[in-house]
């Protein structure tokens, strides 16, 4: 069931969105060669405590998972697309890596979700292009999130960006409703056909999150039961914002602005 948010709830989400944006900005500044993913997780937990918010991923057990997620943040490197566990078998960041930081918080009982992919040191031109195109796709998808459009319009716009750049969209991974819980209806695919799917109405709050792969779209599950990787070993990028559908257009909630 799709649950629409009131103007007052959207204002709370906007306040919380500035916090999650601040946390991700601080974590991005932390990323450097030699940093452990466990250090990123520890810093994320400390930042949540300092801002009086809770990391929503910690202890979350999605449908089909065998155990709760054990960390405050998802840290995914290179061919890891999403849900990388930072504090079990921690990895050390190396020159040229690309690392996705995916964070969810609870602020005044409302949930926000956001992700960025950042370079470690100097990255090659192909990686720069992958990151830039995936980030562009996020904002192109957001631009379609207006009253009267449909979910398929968002997915189609994102997919077109990937294909025109020679990238693929990670199979079966998509955005979602958010606000009262980390994953709500509706699903927001990164592929689609214009004019199809749920009509977007005022008060809908969704997480839009393109995940592009530099090679093929097929994915596989890692041995930890959470990390999703590209099947062919190609690198991936992931960007995400929580947004609200308003009468004035899409409002990016997980932003410092």
């Amino acid at each position: 069931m799709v649950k629409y948010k009131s103007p007052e709830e959207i204002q709370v989400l906007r306040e919380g969105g500035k916090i999650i944006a601040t946390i991700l900005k601080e974590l991005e500044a932390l990323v450097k060669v030699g940093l452990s993913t466990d250090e990123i997780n520890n810093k994320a937990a400390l930042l949540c405590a300092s801002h009086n918010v809770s990391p929503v991923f910690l202890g979350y057990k999605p449908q089909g998972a065998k155990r709760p997620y054990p960390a405050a943040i998802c840290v995914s490197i290179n061919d890891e697309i999403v849900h990388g566990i930072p504090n079990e078998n921690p990895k050390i960041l190396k020159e040229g890596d690309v690392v996705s930081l995916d964070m969810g918080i609870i602020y005044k009982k409302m949930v926000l979700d956001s992700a960025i992919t950042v370079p470690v040191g100097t990255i090659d031109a192909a990686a720069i292009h992958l990151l830039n195109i995936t980030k562009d796709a996020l904002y192109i998808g957001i631009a379609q999130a207006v009253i009267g459009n449909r979910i398929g319009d968002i997915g189609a716009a994102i997919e077109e960006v990937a294909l025109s750049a020679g990238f693929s969209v990670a199979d079966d991974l998509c955005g979602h409703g958010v606000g009262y819980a980390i994953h709500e209806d509706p699903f927001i695919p990164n592929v689609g056909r214009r004019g199809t799917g749920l009509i977007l109405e005022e008060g809908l709050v969704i997480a839009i999150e393109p995940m592009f792969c530099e090679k093929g779209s097929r994915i596989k599950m890692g041995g930890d039961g959470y990390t999703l990787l590209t099947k062919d070993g190609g690198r991936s990028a992931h960007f995400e914002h929580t947004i609200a559908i308003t009468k004035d257009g899409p409002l990016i909630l997980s932003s410092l602005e």
Side-chain angles (χ1 to χ4, degrees), residues 24 62-63 82 92 95 117 132 143 155 160 177 179 200-201 203 208 247:
L24 283 174
Q63 185 175 5
V82 71
I92 303 299
E95 183 83 17
T117 302
N132 287 342
E160 286 164 8
L200 304 177
E201 299 181 39
I208 297 177
K247 65 181 184 302

Side-chain angles (χ1 to χ4, degrees), residues 4 143-154 194-204 245-247 249-250:
Y4 297 90
Q144 294 295 317
V146 296
I147 293 171
N149 270 6
R150 293 178 179 266
I151 286 175
D153 297 316
I154 299 173
R194 294 182 185 277
T196 64
L198 180 76
I199 296 175
L200 304 177
E201 299 181 39
E202 184 175 1
L204 181 64
I245 311 297
T246 79
K247 65 181 184 302

Side-chain angles (χ1 to χ4, degrees), residues 31-35 77-78 91-99 118-124 127-128 235:
V31 169
K32 63 180 180 180
V33 175
L35 184 72
I77 305 169
N78 295 332
K91 299 180 177 68
I92 303 299
L93 301 184
K94 304 186 300 296
E95 183 83 17
D97 285 343
V98 294
V99 55
V118 300
V120 181
T122 301
I123 61 174
D124 60 49
I128 293 171
R235 293 172 296 187

Side-chain angles (χ1 to χ4, degrees), residues 10-28:
I10 289 173
Q11 180 56 39
V12 170
L13 286 164
R14 196 169 191 181
E15 293 170 9
K18 295 184 190 307
I19 294 173
I20 196 170
T22 298
I23 291 173
L24 283 174
K25 186 175 181 180
E26 292 195 43
L27 293 175
E28 179 180 7

Side-chain angles (χ1 to χ4, degrees), residues 149-194:
N149 270 6
R150 293 178 179 266
I151 286 175
D153 297 316
I154 299 173
I158 291 172
E159 184 180 20
E160 286 164 8
V161 174
L163 296 179
S164 66
F167 297 132
S168 60
V169 177
D171 285 347
D172 303 324
L173 300 179
C174 60
H176 49 86
V178 68
Y180 301 128
I182 187 60
H183 292 131
E184 301 177 9
D185 291 336
F187 292 116
I188 312 295
N190 293 314
V191 298
R193 187 161 54 87
R194 294 182 185 277

